[in-house]
Amino acid sequence: MRCALLILSLLFFSCAQDPEVIASEHFYFSRPSDTADVRTAEDSSAKGHYILRLDSLHKFGFSFTHPLQEKDLEKRLIVTYKAKIRTNHIYSAGSMVIVLSHHDKVTHWRPNNLNRHIADLGRWNWFYDSLSLPKSTKEEPYNTITVQGLLGDAVNESFDFDSVSVYVKGLEP
Amino acid sequence: MITKFHNQFLLFEKAVKGGIPLYLRRAFVLFFFLFSIHLFYTYIGTYNQLSTRPSSIHVWAQCARASVALNYYDGDMNFFKPKIHRSIDGEGVTGLEFPFVNYVPAVCYKLFGFNEAYYRGFVLLCMALGLLFFYLMLNRVTENPLLSFALTLSAYCSPVFLYYSNNFMPDIPSIGFTLIAWYFLFGYVRSSQESHRKLYLFLVFATLAALIKATSLVTILTVFGMVVLDYLKFYKTPSQQQLFLKKPRVIICLLIGIASLFAWYFWAHLLEQQYKSAAFAMSTVRVTDWATAREVWEIIYNNHRFEYYPYETYVFFTVVIALMVIGWKFVSRVYFSAFFIATIGNMFAVYFFFYQFKDHDYYIIPLTSSVFLMYLVFADAIKHVSIKYLSVLPYLFVAVLFFNLKEGVKWTRKDYQNRYNPDNVRYFDNTDVYNDLEPKLRKLGIGRNDKVLSGFETGWCNSLYKMNQMGFVFTTATAKEEMAHLLSLPQFKYMVVSDTVKYNHMFPGMLNYPVIASHRGLLIYKLR
């Protein structure tokens, strides 16, 4: 009987493998100031809480950069990010940009348009997404990952970011 | 010394088994399979996709099948009039394979509410049951649960098998039912054959397998071949005169199975012609020239061969075949004739549908009945050799299979997870933006039967299914005149466009309609 119970309990045991988190960053936005690189604003729906606001004058938002070690480059690298986003424009140009560079020389530039995550205009939309990175090769090497928020060519658009988290993960090849 | 060890090990095995009550041994056999297959599915990540909407490779075929189930649920549950979301006039009635795999999930939707997990879960259950019956069939022969499970896993551990095991395609339930059918047939053959319950169960499962995937008719035809061989006294031995004691009854059962198949496909063709719907392939797709045959073969060889099975499994196949040739006198006539005739039948199936193998990896699934039968032959041969010469032989093969499967399972997991990698999903399918559109449409007062035009569609009815709207689709191949005609039809009340820049470029001046909503880059227009 005990044996059967042990077997039954083991039926619910999970042994799936999770990718290892190599680096992560959570962005918190503060009160606007003249010296800040990015533009923040107070969230109209939550007083005292500040969000990142991108528009035609402030196109670049947060930036997360992580230098990779040799042992990381041998793994299958994945960048995952989650955030709340809000826009007032049907044809939003809000993007997350992944930049891979090798000693300041950019080898990969990949913008991911966030339009597909906007279910409702003028409201906060939670999203989670991930992207597999190419292998670092002799022809196109990289040793640094940068993840940025970017507003492209939209006119009259105001694009907001909040609660941004970025992770760089590695899986065994 | 080997003989002494062999005899002592046999005595040891007997003593161990004799000390355990039969019901506990049977319970252990069952729980061992359930535990092991659950661990396997957990490692692969099979359960992670149970609630996922149709996506990734062959999303088109997935949505078409899922559409039939959703239309049963949202419609009148008339089994004999399956429908899909796509039609210009009418309700979308279409001909297709026997819609058992679509109907059962629809019943679940009715009972518990719509959730694609019921569909995926039902397909997975069919596969798991098929594997269970195959495992029991092997265990009856080997009396060794470890070896039985190892061989079952070796035949099943394939990227294609795992990807479609929790999917929407009928190929997996078909092979599952085929395995169950063989279990009952061999059980019937081994019995006194005074009760025909197992024969009728074989008929039910073999016919179901063939109805939901025509290539599985090979199972029924294989048994026909075995009956013919029985008439020719092929199975006559000193201990038995014939394999089937009541051959006319067996033949009648097989004819009922074949007649059922022809009856359904006749009905399906009638539906296709009457309602002018060509959503599903209903005829053979042969290749008739060498250049195309070479092209198809190259694609199979370069792209699909390690999706069918890992490299290590092909090595094991070679070993198995070589050992069967060497140990020919230990090979069972009954099992080998089933394997041989089924393989000939499957080769004919490949011939009749060869062109489909180019782009459809799942076509291989029903044909893997040959692999399972080959392992049955092999298991039986191992048992006979082990009884006579080397009782630890089954355990040696367990060890061999452990190292063989180790890499194969890793490869299968990598390929499976790669198919659900978000980059790959987006490469094959851009319809995730429609996944949660339906509630918004209902809030706007758009009913399910308010026909919509949807584009730019990349499949047959992917977007229509995902937003659960009856309607029609336009693509990048739609001509301007055809688009103008569609827009003029009074039955289309709304239009959902995924790319208005492309639309205005392809159909200039045809977008003078009010926008009533947007959703993840989609724009919803009111036509009238």
Side-chain angles (χ1 to χ4, degrees), chain A residues 7 10-11 13-17 90-91 110 115-121 129-132, chain B residues 31 34-35 38-39 42 413-414 421-423 426 430 432-433 440 500 518-521 523:
Chain A
I7 290 170
L10 285 173
L11 277 173
F13 174 75
S14 170
C15 59
Q17 211 182 15
I90 285 176
Y91 303 110
R110 184 164 162 182
N115 212 0
R116 67 192 316 109
H117 301 297
I118 311 267
D120 296 300
L121 289 180
D129 207 347
S130 68
L131 180 76
S132 294
Chain B
F31 275 117
L34 293 175
F35 173 63
H38 166 70
L39 268 188
T42 305
R413 181 171 184 260
K414 185 178 167 183
N421 179 309
D423 296 321
R426 262 182 235 133
N430 61 356
D432 58 321
V433 294
K440 188 175 269 187
T500 48
S518 72
H519 183 83
R520 301 185 190 281
L523 289 182

mmCIF file of all heavy atoms in Angstrom, chain A residues 7 10-11 13-17 90-91 110 115-121 129-132, chain B residues 31 34-35 38-39 42 413-414 421-423 426 430 432-433 440 500 518-521 523:
data_model
loop_
_atom_site.group_PDB
_atom_site.id
_atom_site.type_symbol
_atom_site.label_atom_id
_atom_site.label_comp_id
_atom_site.label_asym_id
_atom_site.label_seq_id
_atom_site.Cartn_x
_atom_site.Cartn_y
_atom_site.Cartn_z
ATOM 1 N N ILE A 7 4.383 5.483 -5.430
ATOM 2 C CA ILE A 7 4.369 5.552 -6.890
ATOM 3 C C ILE A 7 3.378 6.612 -7.350
ATOM 4 O O ILE A 7 3.657 7.392 -8.256
ATOM 5 C CB ILE A 7 4.022 4.169 -7.490
ATOM 6 C CG1 ILE A 7 5.187 3.203 -7.255
ATOM 7 C CG2 ILE A 7 3.735 4.282 -8.982
ATOM 8 C CD1 ILE A 7 4.875 1.769 -7.581
ATOM 9 N N LEU A 10 4.740 10.030 -6.914
ATOM 10 C CA LEU A 10 5.799 10.314 -7.878
ATOM 11 C C LEU A 10 5.221 10.613 -9.253
ATOM 12 O O LEU A 10 5.900 11.205 -10.083
ATOM 13 C CB LEU A 10 6.764 9.128 -7.968
ATOM 14 C CG LEU A 10 7.720 8.993 -6.776
ATOM 15 C CD1 LEU A 10 8.516 7.699 -6.885
ATOM 16 C CD2 LEU A 10 8.682 10.161 -6.701
ATOM 17 N N LEU A 11 3.969 10.179 -9.487
ATOM 18 C CA LEU A 11 3.317 10.480 -10.760
ATOM 19 C C LEU A 11 3.206 11.980 -10.983
ATOM 20 O O LEU A 11 3.137 12.431 -12.102
ATOM 21 C CB LEU A 11 1.913 9.865 -10.804
ATOM 22 C CG LEU A 11 1.818 8.397 -11.212
ATOM 23 C CD1 LEU A 11 0.406 7.901 -11.041
ATOM 24 C CD2 LEU A 11 2.245 8.211 -12.659
ATOM 25 N N PHE A 13 5.465 14.162 -9.917
ATOM 26 C CA PHE A 13 6.775 14.774 -9.797
ATOM 27 C C PHE A 13 7.242 15.261 -11.160
ATOM 28 O O PHE A 13 7.167 14.553 -12.139
ATOM 29 C CB PHE A 13 7.757 13.719 -9.248
ATOM 30 C CG PHE A 13 9.181 14.177 -9.203
ATOM 31 C CD1 PHE A 13 9.611 15.055 -8.236
ATOM 32 C CD2 PHE A 13 10.094 13.733 -10.135
ATOM 33 C CE1 PHE A 13 10.922 15.470 -8.197
ATOM 34 C CE2 PHE A 13 11.420 14.146 -10.097
ATOM 35 C CZ PHE A 13 11.829 15.019 -9.113
ATOM 36 N N SER A 14 7.705 16.479 -11.208
ATOM 37 C CA SER A 14 8.139 17.029 -12.482
ATOM 38 C C SER A 14 9.643 17.110 -12.533
ATOM 39 O O SER A 14 10.265 17.509 -11.551
ATOM 40 C CB SER A 14 7.541 18.423 -12.652
ATOM 41 O OG SER A 14 8.126 19.042 -13.755
ATOM 42 N N CYS A 15 10.218 16.683 -13.645
ATOM 43 C CA CYS A 15 11.669 16.785 -13.737
ATOM 44 C C CYS A 15 12.078 17.569 -14.975
ATOM 45 O O CYS A 15 13.124 17.346 -15.539
ATOM 46 C CB CYS A 15 12.306 15.411 -13.730
ATOM 47 S SG CYS A 15 11.743 14.381 -15.081
ATOM 48 N N ALA A 16 11.197 18.508 -15.410
ATOM 49 C CA ALA A 16 11.537 19.306 -16.578
ATOM 50 C C ALA A 16 12.656 20.280 -16.232
ATOM 51 O O ALA A 16 12.773 20.742 -15.106
ATOM 52 C CB ALA A 16 10.309 20.071 -17.057
ATOM 53 N N GLN A 17 13.481 20.566 -17.245
ATOM 54 C CA GLN A 17 14.642 21.427 -17.021
ATOM 55 C C GLN A 17 14.289 22.869 -17.315
ATOM 56 O O GLN A 17 13.643 23.167 -18.315
ATOM 57 C CB GLN A 17 15.733 20.982 -17.996
ATOM 58 C CG GLN A 17 17.114 21.164 -17.503
ATOM 59 C CD GLN A 17 18.104 20.727 -18.566
ATOM 60 O OE1 GLN A 17 17.781 20.557 -19.716
ATOM 61 N NE2 GLN A 17 19.324 20.539 -18.175
ATOM 62 N N ILE A 90 -2.869 53.457 -33.255
ATOM 63 C CA ILE A 90 -3.214 52.165 -33.862
ATOM 64 C C ILE A 90 -1.982 51.506 -34.487
ATOM 65 O O ILE A 90 -1.739 50.319 -34.339
ATOM 66 C CB ILE A 90 -4.299 52.351 -34.948
ATOM 67 C CG1 ILE A 90 -5.657 52.585 -34.301
ATOM 68 C CG2 ILE A 90 -4.391 51.121 -35.832
ATOM 69 C CD1 ILE A 90 -6.758 52.868 -35.289
ATOM 70 N N TYR A 91 -1.218 52.283 -35.207
ATOM 71 C CA TYR A 91 -0.024 51.719 -35.882
ATOM 72 C C TYR A 91 1.212 52.010 -35.023
ATOM 73 O O TYR A 91 2.093 52.764 -35.414
ATOM 74 C CB TYR A 91 0.166 52.351 -37.266
ATOM 75 C CG TYR A 91 -1.027 52.201 -38.158
ATOM 76 C CD1 TYR A 91 -1.802 53.310 -38.497
ATOM 77 C CD2 TYR A 91 -1.386 50.967 -38.685
ATOM 78 C CE1 TYR A 91 -2.901 53.182 -39.324
ATOM 79 C CE2 TYR A 91 -2.486 50.829 -39.506
ATOM 80 C CZ TYR A 91 -3.242 51.945 -39.817
ATOM 81 O OH TYR A 91 -4.336 51.809 -40.637
ATOM 82 N N ARG A 110 18.202 43.806 -33.909
ATOM 83 C CA ARG A 110 16.897 43.216 -34.201
ATOM 84 C C ARG A 110 15.799 43.892 -33.390
ATOM 85 O O ARG A 110 15.717 43.695 -32.188
ATOM 86 C CB ARG A 110 16.926 41.732 -33.891
ATOM 87 C CG ARG A 110 15.617 41.078 -34.266
ATOM 88 C CD ARG A 110 15.730 39.606 -34.339
ATOM 89 N NE ARG A 110 14.390 39.024 -34.265
ATOM 90 C CZ ARG A 110 14.137 37.732 -34.266
ATOM 91 N NH1 ARG A 110 15.137 36.875 -34.309
ATOM 92 N NH2 ARG A 110 12.911 37.292 -34.202
ATOM 93 N N ASN A 115 3.484 45.865 -31.312
ATOM 94 C CA ASN A 115 2.089 46.071 -31.701
ATOM 95 C C ASN A 115 1.229 44.854 -31.407
ATOM 96 O O ASN A 115 0.084 44.967 -30.972
ATOM 97 C CB ASN A 115 2.036 46.360 -33.213
ATOM 98 C CG ASN A 115 0.898 47.295 -33.547
ATOM 99 O OD1 ASN A 115 0.160 47.717 -32.678
ATOM 100 N ND2 ASN A 115 0.760 47.606 -34.817
ATOM 101 N N ARG A 116 1.806 43.662 -31.610
ATOM 102 C CA ARG A 116 1.019 42.438 -31.430
ATOM 103 C C ARG A 116 0.645 42.202 -29.971
ATOM 104 O O ARG A 116 -0.176 41.350 -29.653
ATOM 105 C CB ARG A 116 1.750 41.235 -32.005
ATOM 106 C CG ARG A 116 3.003 40.872 -31.268
ATOM 107 C CD ARG A 116 3.890 39.850 -32.015
ATOM 108 N NE ARG A 116 3.164 38.756 -32.596
ATOM 109 C CZ ARG A 116 2.983 38.594 -33.912
ATOM 110 N NH1 ARG A 116 3.473 39.469 -34.766
ATOM 111 N NH2 ARG A 116 2.320 37.568 -34.374
ATOM 112 N N HIS A 117 1.238 42.965 -29.069
ATOM 113 C CA HIS A 117 0.915 42.801 -27.644
ATOM 114 C C HIS A 117 -0.094 43.835 -27.162
ATOM 115 O O HIS A 117 -0.475 43.816 -26.002
ATOM 116 C CB HIS A 117 2.191 42.899 -26.803
ATOM 117 C CG HIS A 117 3.210 41.858 -27.173
ATOM 118 N ND1 HIS A 117 2.983 40.504 -27.025
ATOM 119 C CD2 HIS A 117 4.449 41.979 -27.689
ATOM 120 C CE1 HIS A 117 4.049 39.840 -27.451
ATOM 121 N NE2 HIS A 117 4.955 40.704 -27.856
ATOM 122 N N ILE A 118 -0.509 44.749 -28.069
ATOM 123 C CA ILE A 118 -1.429 45.809 -27.650
ATOM 124 C C ILE A 118 -2.851 45.376 -27.988
ATOM 125 O O ILE A 118 -3.308 45.496 -29.131
ATOM 126 C CB ILE A 118 -1.131 47.144 -28.376
ATOM 127 C CG1 ILE A 118 0.338 47.472 -28.309
ATOM 128 C CG2 ILE A 118 -2.035 48.252 -27.855
ATOM 129 C CD1 ILE A 118 0.782 48.323 -27.191
ATOM 130 N N ALA A 119 -3.581 44.864 -27.007
ATOM 131 C CA ALA A 119 -4.960 44.433 -27.247
ATOM 132 C C ALA A 119 -5.902 45.643 -27.216
ATOM 133 O O ALA A 119 -6.874 45.696 -27.949
ATOM 134 C CB ALA A 119 -5.382 43.408 -26.214
ATOM 135 N N ASP A 120 -5.598 46.609 -26.350
ATOM 136 C CA ASP A 120 -6.491 47.770 -26.199
ATOM 137 C C ASP A 120 -5.672 49.047 -26.199
ATOM 138 O O ASP A 120 -4.678 49.157 -25.490
ATOM 139 C CB ASP A 120 -7.267 47.685 -24.877
ATOM 140 C CG ASP A 120 -8.189 46.479 -24.853
ATOM 141 O OD1 ASP A 120 -9.060 46.415 -25.732
ATOM 142 O OD2 ASP A 120 -8.006 45.611 -23.984
ATOM 143 N N LEU A 121 -6.122 50.021 -26.990
ATOM 144 C CA LEU A 121 -5.452 51.316 -27.012
ATOM 145 C C LEU A 121 -5.781 52.085 -25.741
ATOM 146 O O LEU A 121 -6.886 51.990 -25.221
ATOM 147 C CB LEU A 121 -5.937 52.134 -28.213
ATOM 148 C CG LEU A 121 -5.487 51.687 -29.596
ATOM 149 C CD1 LEU A 121 -6.066 52.604 -30.656
ATOM 150 C CD2 LEU A 121 -3.969 51.656 -29.699
ATOM 151 N N ASP A 129 7.539 37.955 -23.735
ATOM 152 C CA ASP A 129 8.043 37.481 -25.029
ATOM 153 C C ASP A 129 9.477 36.996 -24.869
ATOM 154 O O ASP A 129 10.140 37.308 -23.872
ATOM 155 C CB ASP A 129 7.978 38.606 -26.068
ATOM 156 C CG ASP A 129 7.835 38.063 -27.480
ATOM 157 O OD1 ASP A 129 8.027 36.842 -27.683
ATOM 158 O OD2 ASP A 129 7.517 38.855 -28.389
ATOM 159 N N SER A 130 9.931 36.244 -25.842
ATOM 160 C CA SER A 130 11.312 35.779 -25.774
ATOM 161 C C SER A 130 11.883 35.690 -27.168
ATOM 162 O O SER A 130 11.158 35.647 -28.163
ATOM 163 C CB SER A 130 11.395 34.425 -25.073
ATOM 164 O OG SER A 130 10.799 33.432 -25.862
ATOM 165 N N LEU A 131 13.197 35.651 -27.226
ATOM 166 C CA LEU A 131 13.882 35.636 -28.512
ATOM 167 C C LEU A 131 15.140 34.802 -28.360
ATOM 168 O O LEU A 131 15.902 34.990 -27.412
ATOM 169 C CB LEU A 131 14.249 37.077 -28.867
ATOM 170 C CG LEU A 131 14.980 37.294 -30.173
ATOM 171 C CD1 LEU A 131 13.998 37.163 -31.308
ATOM 172 C CD2 LEU A 131 15.614 38.661 -30.212
ATOM 173 N N SER A 132 15.347 33.881 -29.294
ATOM 174 C CA SER A 132 16.584 33.095 -29.266
ATOM 175 C C SER A 132 17.673 33.869 -29.969
ATOM 176 O O SER A 132 17.439 34.464 -31.023
ATOM 177 C CB SER A 132 16.370 31.774 -30.018
ATOM 178 O OG SER A 132 15.456 30.997 -29.328
ATOM 179 N N PHE B 31 1.548 0.270 -13.228
ATOM 180 C CA PHE B 31 2.072 1.493 -12.622
ATOM 181 C C PHE B 31 3.439 1.847 -13.171
ATOM 182 O O PHE B 31 3.763 3.024 -13.310
ATOM 183 C CB PHE B 31 2.153 1.358 -11.094
ATOM 184 C CG PHE B 31 0.860 1.695 -10.422
ATOM 185 C CD1 PHE B 31 0.164 0.748 -9.704
ATOM 186 C CD2 PHE B 31 0.330 2.969 -10.525
ATOM 187 C CE1 PHE B 31 -1.035 1.058 -9.101
ATOM 188 C CE2 PHE B 31 -0.873 3.293 -9.921
ATOM 189 C CZ PHE B 31 -1.559 2.324 -9.197
ATOM 190 N N LEU B 34 2.760 3.703 -16.389
ATOM 191 C CA LEU B 34 2.162 5.026 -16.165
ATOM 192 C C LEU B 34 3.202 6.001 -15.618
ATOM 193 O O LEU B 34 3.304 7.145 -16.060
ATOM 194 C CB LEU B 34 0.978 4.924 -15.203
ATOM 195 C CG LEU B 34 -0.245 4.168 -15.727
ATOM 196 C CD1 LEU B 34 -1.297 4.028 -14.640
ATOM 197 C CD2 LEU B 34 -0.840 4.849 -16.953
ATOM 198 N N PHE B 35 3.971 5.535 -14.656
ATOM 199 C CA PHE B 35 4.997 6.374 -14.045
ATOM 200 C C PHE B 35 6.055 6.762 -15.071
ATOM 201 O O PHE B 35 6.436 7.925 -15.206
ATOM 202 C CB PHE B 35 5.613 5.608 -12.868
ATOM 203 C CG PHE B 35 6.799 6.291 -12.246
ATOM 204 C CD1 PHE B 35 6.665 7.526 -11.639
ATOM 205 C CD2 PHE B 35 8.053 5.706 -12.271
ATOM 206 C CE1 PHE B 35 7.746 8.163 -11.065
ATOM 207 C CE2 PHE B 35 9.140 6.334 -11.704
ATOM 208 C CZ PHE B 35 8.990 7.563 -11.092
ATOM 209 N N HIS B 38 4.739 9.093 -17.832
ATOM 210 C CA HIS B 38 4.526 10.436 -17.275
ATOM 211 C C HIS B 38 5.853 11.173 -17.122
ATOM 212 O O HIS B 38 5.984 12.356 -17.491
ATOM 213 C CB HIS B 38 3.827 10.330 -15.918
ATOM 214 C CG HIS B 38 3.870 11.614 -15.130
ATOM 215 N ND1 HIS B 38 3.154 12.740 -15.499
ATOM 216 C CD2 HIS B 38 4.575 11.968 -14.032
ATOM 217 C CE1 HIS B 38 3.411 13.719 -14.640
ATOM 218 N NE2 HIS B 38 4.267 13.278 -13.746
ATOM 219 N N LEU B 39 6.891 10.454 -16.625
ATOM 220 C CA LEU B 39 8.218 11.066 -16.500
ATOM 221 C C LEU B 39 8.731 11.511 -17.873
ATOM 222 O O LEU B 39 9.287 12.603 -18.017
ATOM 223 C CB LEU B 39 9.216 10.056 -15.927
ATOM 224 C CG LEU B 39 9.412 10.016 -14.416
ATOM 225 C CD1 LEU B 39 10.566 9.093 -14.077
ATOM 226 C CD2 LEU B 39 9.664 11.405 -13.842
ATOM 227 N N THR B 42 6.914 14.553 -19.062
ATOM 228 C CA THR B 42 7.334 15.719 -18.267
ATOM 229 C C THR B 42 8.696 16.210 -18.742
ATOM 230 O O THR B 42 8.908 17.413 -18.894
ATOM 231 C CB THR B 42 7.408 15.344 -16.775
ATOM 232 O OG1 THR B 42 6.165 14.804 -16.371
ATOM 233 C CG2 THR B 42 7.723 16.566 -15.925
ATOM 234 N N ARG B 413 13.674 15.865 -27.373
ATOM 235 C CA ARG B 413 13.285 17.000 -26.525
ATOM 236 C C ARG B 413 13.733 18.314 -27.153
ATOM 237 O O ARG B 413 12.980 19.291 -27.179
ATOM 238 C CB ARG B 413 13.911 16.847 -25.143
ATOM 239 C CG ARG B 413 13.566 17.958 -24.166
ATOM 240 C CD ARG B 413 14.062 17.592 -22.794
ATOM 241 N NE ARG B 413 13.672 18.563 -21.814
ATOM 242 C CZ ARG B 413 14.470 19.519 -21.353
ATOM 243 N NH1 ARG B 413 15.698 19.614 -21.786
ATOM 244 N NH2 ARG B 413 14.040 20.379 -20.443
ATOM 245 N N LYS B 414 14.942 18.326 -27.667
ATOM 246 C CA LYS B 414 15.481 19.557 -28.264
ATOM 247 C C LYS B 414 14.633 19.953 -29.474
ATOM 248 O O LYS B 414 14.258 21.117 -29.623
ATOM 249 C CB LYS B 414 16.923 19.311 -28.685
ATOM 250 C CG LYS B 414 17.651 20.543 -29.201
ATOM 251 C CD LYS B 414 19.079 20.186 -29.550
ATOM 252 C CE LYS B 414 19.720 21.306 -30.352
ATOM 253 N NZ LYS B 414 21.079 20.991 -30.768
ATOM 254 N N ASN B 421 9.599 27.119 -29.915
ATOM 255 C CA ASN B 421 10.400 28.316 -29.722
ATOM 256 C C ASN B 421 9.639 29.493 -30.345
ATOM 257 O O ASN B 421 9.193 29.379 -31.490
ATOM 258 C CB ASN B 421 11.739 28.086 -30.429
ATOM 259 C CG ASN B 421 12.653 29.259 -30.338
ATOM 260 O OD1 ASN B 421 12.276 30.389 -30.635
ATOM 261 N ND2 ASN B 421 13.868 28.999 -29.936
ATOM 262 N N PRO B 422 9.452 30.606 -29.622
ATOM 263 C CA PRO B 422 8.648 31.717 -30.170
ATOM 264 C C PRO B 422 9.094 32.177 -31.559
ATOM 265 O O PRO B 422 8.258 32.572 -32.376
ATOM 266 C CB PRO B 422 8.843 32.826 -29.133
ATOM 267 C CG PRO B 422 9.083 32.099 -27.867
ATOM 268 C CD PRO B 422 9.850 30.870 -28.241
ATOM 269 N N ASP B 423 10.398 32.121 -31.845
ATOM 270 C CA ASP B 423 10.857 32.531 -33.178
ATOM 271 C C ASP B 423 10.307 31.591 -34.247
ATOM 272 O O ASP B 423 9.839 32.032 -35.303
ATOM 273 C CB ASP B 423 12.386 32.502 -33.236
ATOM 274 C CG ASP B 423 12.978 33.508 -32.278
ATOM 275 O OD1 ASP B 423 12.406 34.598 -32.163
ATOM 276 O OD2 ASP B 423 13.996 33.176 -31.645
ATOM 277 N N ARG B 426 6.539 32.049 -34.718
ATOM 278 C CA ARG B 426 6.196 33.226 -35.533
ATOM 279 C C ARG B 426 6.565 33.018 -36.991
ATOM 280 O O ARG B 426 5.923 33.565 -37.879
ATOM 281 C CB ARG B 426 6.907 34.464 -34.989
ATOM 282 C CG ARG B 426 6.002 35.280 -34.098
ATOM 283 C CD ARG B 426 6.671 36.502 -33.599
ATOM 284 N NE ARG B 426 6.593 36.508 -32.151
ATOM 285 C CZ ARG B 426 7.594 36.760 -31.331
ATOM 286 N NH1 ARG B 426 8.779 37.047 -31.800
ATOM 287 N NH2 ARG B 426 7.440 36.721 -30.037
ATOM 288 N N ASN B 430 1.508 33.518 -37.990
ATOM 289 C CA ASN B 430 1.393 34.868 -37.435
ATOM 290 C C ASN B 430 -0.011 35.124 -36.911
ATOM 291 O O ASN B 430 -0.444 36.270 -36.846
ATOM 292 C CB ASN B 430 1.776 35.896 -38.504
ATOM 293 C CG ASN B 430 0.848 35.821 -39.710
ATOM 294 O OD1 ASN B 430 -0.017 34.958 -39.780
ATOM 295 N ND2 ASN B 430 1.021 36.728 -40.649
ATOM 296 N N ASP B 432 -1.220 34.436 -33.910
ATOM 297 C CA ASP B 432 -1.399 34.549 -32.453
ATOM 298 C C ASP B 432 -2.143 35.819 -32.076
ATOM 299 O O ASP B 432 -2.774 35.885 -31.018
ATOM 300 C CB ASP B 432 -0.044 34.488 -31.739
ATOM 301 C CG ASP B 432 0.895 35.575 -32.210
ATOM 302 O OD1 ASP B 432 0.902 35.873 -33.434
ATOM 303 O OD2 ASP B 432 1.626 36.139 -31.377
ATOM 304 N N VAL B 433 -2.147 36.825 -32.955
ATOM 305 C CA VAL B 433 -2.866 38.073 -32.656
ATOM 306 C C VAL B 433 -4.379 37.872 -32.655
ATOM 307 O O VAL B 433 -5.108 38.698 -32.117
ATOM 308 C CB VAL B 433 -2.480 39.198 -33.644
ATOM 309 C CG1 VAL B 433 -1.021 39.573 -33.451
ATOM 310 C CG2 VAL B 433 -2.745 38.799 -35.083
ATOM 311 N N LYS B 440 -13.634 40.437 -27.715
ATOM 312 C CA LYS B 440 -13.783 41.825 -28.168
ATOM 313 C C LYS B 440 -14.858 41.922 -29.245
ATOM 314 O O LYS B 440 -15.669 42.849 -29.260
ATOM 315 C CB LYS B 440 -12.454 42.334 -28.697
ATOM 316 C CG LYS B 440 -12.448 43.819 -29.023
ATOM 317 C CD LYS B 440 -11.084 44.297 -29.422
ATOM 318 C CE LYS B 440 -10.314 44.783 -28.231
ATOM 319 N NZ LYS B 440 -9.036 45.416 -28.565
ATOM 320 N N THR B 500 -2.879 46.934 -43.174
ATOM 321 C CA THR B 500 -3.608 47.869 -44.043
ATOM 322 C C THR B 500 -2.691 48.487 -45.090
ATOM 323 O O THR B 500 -3.159 48.865 -46.171
ATOM 324 C CB THR B 500 -4.257 48.984 -43.218
ATOM 325 O OG1 THR B 500 -3.275 49.514 -42.316
ATOM 326 C CG2 THR B 500 -5.445 48.475 -42.447
ATOM 327 N N SER B 518 -9.562 48.141 -32.921
ATOM 328 C CA SER B 518 -8.235 47.614 -33.266
ATOM 329 C C SER B 518 -7.857 46.586 -32.209
ATOM 330 O O SER B 518 -8.370 46.614 -31.080
ATOM 331 C CB SER B 518 -7.197 48.725 -33.309
ATOM 332 O OG SER B 518 -6.909 49.168 -31.986
ATOM 333 N N HIS B 519 -6.956 45.686 -32.599
ATOM 334 C CA HIS B 519 -6.564 44.628 -31.660
ATOM 335 C C HIS B 519 -5.235 44.055 -32.102
ATOM 336 O O HIS B 519 -5.165 43.398 -33.132
ATOM 337 C CB HIS B 519 -7.634 43.524 -31.627
ATOM 338 C CG HIS B 519 -7.351 42.444 -30.639
ATOM 339 N ND1 HIS B 519 -7.670 42.555 -29.302
ATOM 340 C CD2 HIS B 519 -6.775 41.228 -30.775
ATOM 341 C CE1 HIS B 519 -7.309 41.445 -28.672
ATOM 342 N NE2 HIS B 519 -6.763 40.631 -29.547
ATOM 343 N N ARG B 520 -4.189 44.317 -31.353
ATOM 344 C CA ARG B 520 -2.864 43.741 -31.627
ATOM 345 C C ARG B 520 -2.444 43.949 -33.081
ATOM 346 O O ARG B 520 -1.948 43.043 -33.739
ATOM 347 C CB ARG B 520 -2.828 42.255 -31.270
ATOM 348 C CG ARG B 520 -3.153 41.977 -29.818
ATOM 349 C CD ARG B 520 -2.989 40.501 -29.473
ATOM 350 N NE ARG B 520 -3.514 40.204 -28.157
ATOM 351 C CZ ARG B 520 -2.890 40.444 -27.007
ATOM 352 N NH1 ARG B 520 -1.691 40.994 -27.005
ATOM 353 N NH2 ARG B 520 -3.447 40.131 -25.857
ATOM 354 N N GLY B 521 -2.646 45.132 -33.590
ATOM 355 C CA GLY B 521 -2.250 45.443 -34.954
ATOM 356 C C GLY B 521 -3.324 45.135 -35.978
ATOM 357 O O GLY B 521 -3.205 45.519 -37.148
ATOM 358 N N LEU B 523 -7.087 45.612 -37.638
ATOM 359 C CA LEU B 523 -8.131 46.636 -37.686
ATOM 360 C C LEU B 523 -9.435 45.972 -38.104
ATOM 361 O O LEU B 523 -9.455 45.144 -39.021
ATOM 362 C CB LEU B 523 -7.768 47.740 -38.677
ATOM 363 C CG LEU B 523 -6.628 48.644 -38.232
ATOM 364 C CD1 LEU B 523 -6.381 49.731 -39.262
ATOM 365 C CD2 LEU B 523 -6.930 49.288 -36.886
#
